[in-house]
Amino acid sequence: MDDNEIHARISALVAEEHRLRSGSPSPEEHTRLSELEVALDQCWDLLRQRRARRDAGEDPDDAQARPVGEVEGYRQ
């Protein structure tokens, strides 16, 4: 995925998240919201990796999505 594709994916995920949060989410929708949060974290991480590689003079296409456990385990 290139940066534009990642941004498009983020936009789609955010739109779905907003739609689900606009009402009173069902238990299934709460589950989906959790999935969306994880997917967004992975997309943002991938975008940061690509930017870091580009800034370091490396090929951003070598960046890969990290496993959920790794991305979700980052300290803020």
Side-chain angles (χ1 to χ4, degrees):
M1 258 198 274
D2 67 19
D3 290 2
N4 289 332
E5 291 170 324
I6 297 168
H7 280 288
R9 176 86 172 124
I10 288 170
S11 293
L13 293 169
V14 167
E16 183 178 356
E17 180 183 30
H18 287 178
R19 182 185 60 77
L20 290 173
R21 290 189 190 280
S22 69
S24 193
S26 68
E28 294 82 16
E29 290 171 328
H30 278 288
T31 299
R32 180 61 183 150
L33 282 166
S34 295
E35 293 169 353
L36 290 170
E37 290 170 2
V38 169
L40 281 165
D41 288 347
Q42 284 182 300
C43 286
W44 283 115
D45 177 67
L46 181 57
L47 197 56
R48 282 189 294 272
Q49 284 184 64
R50 290 180 57 79
R51 287 180 180 159
R53 287 183 170 280
R54 191 176 296 111
D55 290 348
E58 298 175 9
D59 186 355
D61 291 334
D62 288 340
Q64 296 193 15
R66 296 179 208 209
V68 171
E70 186 174 343
V71 173
E72 292 302 299
Y74 293 151
R75 298 177 88 192
Q76 296 290 322

